[in-house]
Amino acid sequence: MAVQVVRPAGSREQAKGPALLPPLFVVMWSSAFVAGVIGVGAAPPLLLTFARFAFAGVLLTGIALAARSPWPRGRRLAHVAVAGVLVQAVQFGAFYTALGMHVPAAVLALVQGLNPVVVALVAGRALGERLTPRQWLGFALGAAGVGLAVADRLSFSSAGIALAVVGLLALSLGTVYQKRFAGDMDVRSGTAVQFLVSAPLVGLASLLLETPRVTDGAAFAGAVGWLVLVNSIGAFLLLNTMLRDAPASRVSTLFFLTPAVTAVMAWLLAGQSLHPLAVAGLAVGGAGVLLATRR
Protein backbone atom coordinates (compact mmCIF):
# COMPACT_ATOMS: atom_id res chain seq x y z
CA MET A 1 0.00 0.00 0.00
CA ALA A 2 1.38 3.38 -0.97
CA VAL A 3 2.08 5.79 1.81
CA GLN A 4 0.88 9.31 1.22
CA VAL A 5 3.01 12.08 2.64
CA VAL A 6 0.92 14.91 3.99
CA ARG A 7 2.68 18.28 3.99
CA PRO A 8 1.74 20.93 6.53
CA ALA A 9 -0.71 23.42 5.11
CA GLY A 10 1.58 26.38 5.77
CA SER A 11 4.77 24.84 4.36
CA ARG A 12 4.25 26.19 0.85
CA GLU A 13 3.51 29.69 2.13
CA GLN A 14 6.58 29.55 4.40
CA ALA A 15 8.73 28.57 1.42
CA LYS A 16 7.42 31.50 -0.58
CA GLY A 17 8.24 33.96 2.22
CA PRO A 18 12.04 33.76 2.02
CA ALA A 19 11.89 33.80 -1.79
CA LEU A 20 10.23 37.23 -1.67
CA LEU A 21 12.97 38.77 0.47
CA PRO A 22 15.64 39.30 -2.26
CA PRO A 23 13.45 41.19 -4.81
CA LEU A 24 11.81 43.21 -2.04
CA PHE A 25 15.23 44.10 -0.66
CA VAL A 26 16.52 45.22 -4.09
CA VAL A 27 13.57 47.56 -4.64
CA MET A 28 13.74 49.01 -1.12
CA TRP A 29 17.51 49.48 -1.25
CA SER A 30 17.45 51.09 -4.70
CA SER A 31 14.82 53.61 -3.62
CA ALA A 32 17.35 55.08 -1.16
CA PHE A 33 19.27 56.64 -4.05
CA VAL A 34 16.21 58.51 -5.30
CA ALA A 35 15.27 59.63 -1.77
CA GLY A 36 18.88 60.64 -1.19
CA VAL A 37 18.89 62.90 -4.24
CA ILE A 38 15.78 64.66 -2.90
CA GLY A 39 17.23 64.87 0.60
CA VAL A 40 20.60 66.40 -0.30
CA GLY A 41 18.75 69.02 -2.33
CA ALA A 42 17.05 70.16 0.86
CA ALA A 43 19.84 69.84 3.46
CA PRO A 44 23.57 69.06 3.75
CA PRO A 45 24.34 65.34 3.21
CA LEU A 46 25.73 64.56 6.66
CA LEU A 47 22.79 66.28 8.35
CA LEU A 48 20.47 64.11 6.25
CA THR A 49 22.46 61.01 7.26
CA PHE A 50 22.35 61.97 10.94
CA ALA A 51 18.57 62.49 10.86
CA ARG A 52 18.13 59.12 9.16
CA PHE A 53 20.19 57.25 11.76
CA ALA A 54 18.77 59.07 14.78
CA PHE A 55 15.10 58.53 13.93
CA ALA A 56 15.68 54.96 12.74
CA GLY A 57 17.65 54.11 15.89
CA VAL A 58 14.92 55.40 18.20
CA LEU A 59 12.11 53.67 16.29
CA LEU A 60 13.93 50.36 15.99
CA THR A 61 14.88 50.46 19.68
CA GLY A 62 11.20 50.74 20.51
CA ILE A 63 10.40 47.82 18.21
CA ALA A 64 13.15 45.69 19.78
CA LEU A 65 12.00 46.52 23.32
CA ALA A 66 8.37 45.76 22.48
CA ALA A 67 9.39 42.41 20.99
CA ARG A 68 11.70 41.70 23.96
CA SER A 69 14.58 41.04 21.61
CA PRO A 70 17.89 39.96 23.19
CA TRP A 71 20.48 42.73 23.11
CA PRO A 72 24.14 42.12 22.26
CA ARG A 73 26.53 42.37 25.20
CA GLY A 74 30.24 42.40 25.85
CA ARG A 75 32.43 41.44 22.94
CA ARG A 76 29.39 40.75 20.76
CA LEU A 77 28.20 44.31 21.31
CA ALA A 78 31.59 45.64 20.17
CA HIS A 79 31.47 43.53 17.01
CA VAL A 80 27.93 44.71 16.19
CA ALA A 81 29.03 48.32 16.73
CA VAL A 82 32.09 48.01 14.47
CA ALA A 83 29.99 46.48 11.68
CA GLY A 84 27.44 49.26 12.14
CA VAL A 85 30.03 52.04 11.87
CA LEU A 86 31.30 50.55 8.60
CA VAL A 87 27.97 49.65 6.99
CA GLN A 88 26.05 52.68 8.27
CA ALA A 89 28.19 55.70 9.21
CA VAL A 90 31.07 55.33 6.74
CA GLN A 91 29.07 53.93 3.82
CA PHE A 92 26.18 56.38 3.85
CA GLY A 93 28.22 59.33 5.02
CA ALA A 94 30.44 58.83 1.97
CA PHE A 95 27.59 58.09 -0.47
CA TYR A 96 25.41 61.03 0.54
CA THR A 97 28.37 63.42 0.51
CA ALA A 98 29.06 62.21 -3.04
CA LEU A 99 25.42 62.90 -3.92
CA GLY A 100 25.90 66.40 -2.51
CA MET A 101 28.82 66.78 -4.95
CA HIS A 102 26.34 66.08 -7.79
CA VAL A 103 27.56 62.56 -8.52
CA PRO A 104 24.57 60.94 -10.30
CA ALA A 105 22.63 58.40 -8.25
CA ALA A 106 23.06 55.81 -11.00
CA VAL A 107 26.85 56.19 -10.88
CA LEU A 108 26.81 55.64 -7.10
CA ALA A 109 24.67 52.58 -7.68
CA LEU A 110 27.24 51.42 -10.23
CA VAL A 111 30.09 51.66 -7.70
CA GLN A 112 28.01 50.01 -5.00
CA GLY A 113 27.04 47.32 -7.50
CA LEU A 114 30.65 46.08 -7.43
CA ASN A 115 30.12 45.05 -3.80
CA PRO A 116 29.59 41.34 -4.64
CA VAL A 117 33.05 41.11 -6.23
CA VAL A 118 34.76 42.70 -3.22
CA VAL A 119 32.76 40.57 -0.78
CA ALA A 120 33.56 37.40 -2.72
CA LEU A 121 37.28 38.14 -2.62
CA VAL A 122 37.28 39.00 1.09
CA ALA A 123 34.83 36.30 2.17
CA GLY A 124 36.91 33.60 0.52
CA ARG A 125 39.72 34.31 2.97
CA ALA A 126 37.82 35.49 6.04
CA LEU A 127 34.85 33.13 5.98
CA GLY A 128 36.09 30.18 3.94
CA GLU A 129 33.29 30.61 1.40
CA ARG A 130 34.48 28.85 -1.76
CA LEU A 131 33.05 29.89 -5.10
CA THR A 132 32.42 27.62 -8.05
CA PRO A 133 33.25 28.52 -11.68
CA ARG A 134 29.52 28.96 -12.28
CA GLN A 135 29.35 31.52 -9.47
CA TRP A 136 32.33 33.42 -10.89
CA LEU A 137 30.53 33.47 -14.24
CA GLY A 138 27.53 34.90 -12.42
CA PHE A 139 29.75 37.61 -10.92
CA ALA A 140 31.08 38.45 -14.38
CA LEU A 141 27.56 38.74 -15.82
CA GLY A 142 26.47 40.80 -12.83
CA ALA A 143 29.36 43.22 -13.28
CA ALA A 144 28.54 43.49 -16.99
CA GLY A 145 24.93 44.26 -16.11
CA VAL A 146 26.09 46.98 -13.72
CA GLY A 147 28.17 48.58 -16.48
CA LEU A 148 25.33 48.47 -18.98
CA ALA A 149 22.88 49.99 -16.53
CA VAL A 150 24.81 53.22 -16.13
CA ALA A 151 26.81 53.40 -19.36
CA ASP A 152 25.08 56.63 -20.40
CA ARG A 153 25.54 58.44 -17.07
CA LEU A 154 29.31 58.58 -16.57
CA SER A 155 29.85 62.26 -15.74
CA PHE A 156 31.32 62.71 -12.28
CA SER A 157 33.92 64.42 -10.10
CA SER A 158 37.04 62.58 -8.99
CA ALA A 159 36.45 63.49 -5.32
CA GLY A 160 32.89 62.21 -5.50
CA ILE A 161 33.98 58.93 -7.04
CA ALA A 162 36.69 58.56 -4.38
CA LEU A 163 34.00 58.91 -1.72
CA ALA A 164 31.86 56.36 -3.55
CA VAL A 165 34.75 53.89 -3.46
CA VAL A 166 35.15 54.53 0.28
CA GLY A 167 31.45 53.76 0.72
CA LEU A 168 31.80 50.58 -1.35
CA LEU A 169 34.75 49.32 0.72
CA ALA A 170 32.94 50.14 3.98
CA LEU A 171 29.84 48.21 2.86
CA SER A 172 31.84 45.20 1.69
CA LEU A 173 34.16 44.97 4.69
CA GLY A 174 31.29 45.64 7.10
CA THR A 175 29.22 42.88 5.51
CA VAL A 176 32.00 40.32 5.86
CA TYR A 177 32.88 41.51 9.39
CA GLN A 178 29.28 41.17 10.54
CA LYS A 179 28.93 37.73 9.00
CA ARG A 180 32.18 36.62 10.65
CA PHE A 181 31.73 38.04 14.15
CA ALA A 182 28.02 38.85 14.63
CA GLY A 183 26.17 36.81 12.03
CA ASP A 184 23.63 35.45 14.50
CA MET A 185 22.68 38.77 16.12
CA ASP A 186 19.02 39.58 16.61
CA VAL A 187 18.17 41.68 13.57
CA ARG A 188 16.00 44.14 15.52
CA SER A 189 18.20 44.96 18.50
CA GLY A 190 21.44 44.53 16.53
CA THR A 191 20.38 46.91 13.78
CA ALA A 192 19.15 49.40 16.41
CA VAL A 193 22.59 49.34 18.04
CA GLN A 194 24.23 50.02 14.67
CA PHE A 195 22.08 53.09 14.09
CA LEU A 196 22.53 54.42 17.62
CA VAL A 197 26.31 54.06 17.41
CA SER A 198 26.48 55.68 13.96
CA ALA A 199 24.19 58.67 14.64
CA PRO A 200 26.47 60.64 17.00
CA LEU A 201 29.52 60.05 14.79
CA VAL A 202 27.78 61.43 11.71
CA GLY A 203 26.19 64.22 13.76
CA LEU A 204 29.60 65.36 14.99
CA ALA A 205 30.96 65.24 11.44
CA SER A 206 28.03 67.40 10.29
CA LEU A 207 28.79 70.03 12.95
CA LEU A 208 32.47 70.09 12.06
CA LEU A 209 32.27 69.92 8.26
CA GLU A 210 28.92 71.47 7.30
CA THR A 211 26.56 74.31 8.09
CA PRO A 212 23.58 72.27 9.28
CA ARG A 213 20.46 73.94 7.95
CA VAL A 214 17.37 72.82 6.06
CA THR A 215 16.34 74.83 3.01
CA ASP A 216 13.21 72.87 2.09
CA GLY A 217 11.40 71.45 5.09
CA ALA A 218 8.81 69.42 3.19
CA ALA A 219 11.34 67.74 0.90
CA PHE A 220 13.68 67.06 3.82
CA ALA A 221 10.90 65.54 5.95
CA GLY A 222 9.69 63.37 3.09
CA ALA A 223 13.18 62.12 2.26
CA VAL A 224 14.02 61.39 5.92
CA GLY A 225 10.69 59.63 6.46
CA TRP A 226 11.25 57.37 3.46
CA LEU A 227 14.89 56.67 4.34
CA VAL A 228 14.00 55.83 7.93
CA LEU A 229 10.96 53.62 7.40
CA VAL A 230 11.70 51.96 4.07
CA ASN A 231 15.49 51.91 3.86
CA SER A 232 16.90 52.07 7.36
CA ILE A 233 14.37 49.82 9.06
CA GLY A 234 12.80 47.79 6.25
CA ALA A 235 15.81 47.18 4.00
CA PHE A 236 18.32 46.62 6.79
CA LEU A 237 16.07 44.19 8.63
CA LEU A 238 15.87 42.22 5.38
CA LEU A 239 19.63 42.48 4.77
CA ASN A 240 20.56 41.35 8.28
CA THR A 241 18.02 38.52 8.10
CA MET A 242 19.54 37.27 4.85
CA LEU A 243 23.09 37.61 6.21
CA ARG A 244 22.06 35.49 9.18
CA ASP A 245 20.64 32.72 6.99
CA ALA A 246 22.87 32.70 3.87
CA PRO A 247 26.55 33.13 2.87
CA ALA A 248 27.70 36.73 2.58
CA SER A 249 28.89 36.21 -1.00
CA ARG A 250 25.44 35.00 -2.06
CA VAL A 251 23.57 37.84 -0.36
CA SER A 252 25.91 40.45 -1.83
CA THR A 253 25.07 39.42 -5.40
CA LEU A 254 21.76 41.26 -5.03
CA PHE A 255 23.70 44.52 -5.34
CA PHE A 256 24.33 43.69 -8.99
CA LEU A 257 20.67 44.59 -9.59
CA THR A 258 20.58 47.97 -7.84
CA PRO A 259 22.02 50.14 -10.65
CA ALA A 260 19.40 49.09 -13.19
CA VAL A 261 16.55 49.18 -10.66
CA THR A 262 17.72 52.62 -9.52
CA ALA A 263 17.66 53.84 -13.13
CA VAL A 264 14.09 52.54 -13.56
CA MET A 265 12.93 54.14 -10.30
CA ALA A 266 14.57 57.46 -11.21
CA TRP A 267 12.68 57.32 -14.51
CA LEU A 268 9.37 56.63 -12.79
CA LEU A 269 9.73 58.93 -9.77
CA ALA A 270 12.19 61.66 -10.75
CA GLY A 271 11.47 62.05 -14.47
CA GLN A 272 14.95 60.97 -15.57
CA SER A 273 15.29 59.36 -18.98
CA LEU A 274 15.42 55.56 -19.12
CA HIS A 275 18.13 54.41 -21.51
CA PRO A 276 17.69 51.03 -23.24
CA LEU A 277 21.05 50.03 -21.76
CA ALA A 278 19.49 50.25 -18.29
CA VAL A 279 16.87 47.68 -19.31
CA ALA A 280 19.60 45.46 -20.79
CA GLY A 281 21.61 45.86 -17.59
CA LEU A 282 18.66 44.70 -15.52
CA ALA A 283 18.33 41.56 -17.64
CA VAL A 284 22.06 40.74 -17.66
CA GLY A 285 22.46 41.53 -13.98
CA GLY A 286 19.47 39.37 -13.13
CA ALA A 287 21.01 36.44 -15.04
CA GLY A 288 24.22 36.95 -13.10
CA VAL A 289 22.38 36.89 -9.79
CA LEU A 290 20.60 33.66 -10.74
CA LEU A 291 23.91 31.98 -11.63
CA ALA A 292 25.75 33.23 -8.56
CA THR A 293 23.02 32.37 -6.04
CA ARG A 294 21.72 29.09 -7.44
CA ARG A 295 22.65 26.17 -5.22
Side-chain angles (χ1 to χ4, degrees):
M1 180 177 65
V3 178
Q4 182 178 5
V5 178
V6 180
R7 298 181 181 272
S11 61
R12 184 173 300 177
E13 287 74 9
Q14 292 173 358
K16 291 180 179 178
L20 293 176
L21 296 187
L24 182 60
F25 167 77
V26 170
V27 172
M28 294 172 73
W29 189 277
S30 299
S31 70
F33 291 102
V34 179
V37 170
I38 297 172
V40 298
L46 294 178
L47 177 60
L48 174 69
T49 311
F50 167 74
R52 169 180 177 169
F53 292 164
F55 284 113
V58 170
L59 286 175
L60 202 50
T61 296
I63 293 173
L65 291 174
R68 298 182 178 180
S69 302
W71 290 83
R73 301 178 183 275
R75 184 175 297 180
R76 177 60 57 83
L77 175 60
H79 288 318
V80 171
V82 170
V85 169
L86 288 171
V87 174
Q88 303 291 348
V90 180
Q91 180 199 182
F92 288 107
F95 278 150
Y96 287 169
T97 302
L99 280 177
M101 293 178 174
H102 306 292
V103 175
V107 173
L108 286 180
L110 162 66
V111 176
Q112 191 186 72
L114 299 175
N115 173 55
V117 178
V118 180
V119 168
L121 294 174
V122 177
R125 293 181 176 273
L127 304 178
E129 296 180 5
R130 296 184 177 181
L131 301 176
T132 66
R134 174 179 49 77
Q135 287 176 302
W136 281 114
L137 176 59
F139 284 138
L141 283 176
V146 166
L148 286 172
V150 295
D152 64 324
R153 298 175 181 269
L154 295 180
S155 61
F156 47 77
S157 68
S158 57
I161 288 302
L163 283 171
V165 172
V166 170
L168 164 66
L169 294 177
L171 171 62
S172 302
L173 295 177
T175 298
V176 175
Y177 186 95
Q178 178 172 313
K179 183 66 177 179
R180 172 67 177 83
F181 296 106
D184 59 348
M185 73 176 190
D186 183 273
V187 294
R188 293 158 297 190
S189 59
T191 309
V193 167
Q194 294 181 341
F195 287 134
L196 294 176
V197 169
S198 299
L201 296 177
V202 177
L204 179 61
S206 177
L207 291 174
L208 294 176
L209 303 175
E210 299 176 333
T211 302
R213 70 170 184 266
V214 176
T215 57
D216 187 335
F220 180 76
V224 170
W226 185 272
L227 291 171
V228 168
L229 297 176
V230 176
N231 301 115
S232 295
I233 295 181
F236 270 96
L237 287 179
L238 293 181
L239 175 63
N240 289 336
T241 298
M242 291 186 294
L243 283 175
R244 183 188 61 191
D245 299 334
S249 57
R250 183 180 301 160
V251 174
S252 68
T253 57
L254 297 174
F255 288 95
F256 279 141
L257 296 176
T258 57
V261 176
T262 298
V264 172
M265 296 186 76
W267 170 59
L268 291 173
L269 302 175
Q272 297 183 4
S273 60
L274 180 61
H275 197 277
L277 288 177
V279 180
L282 180 59
V284 175
V289 170
L290 289 177
L291 278 177
T293 59
R294 180 182 173 188
R295 298 187 181 184

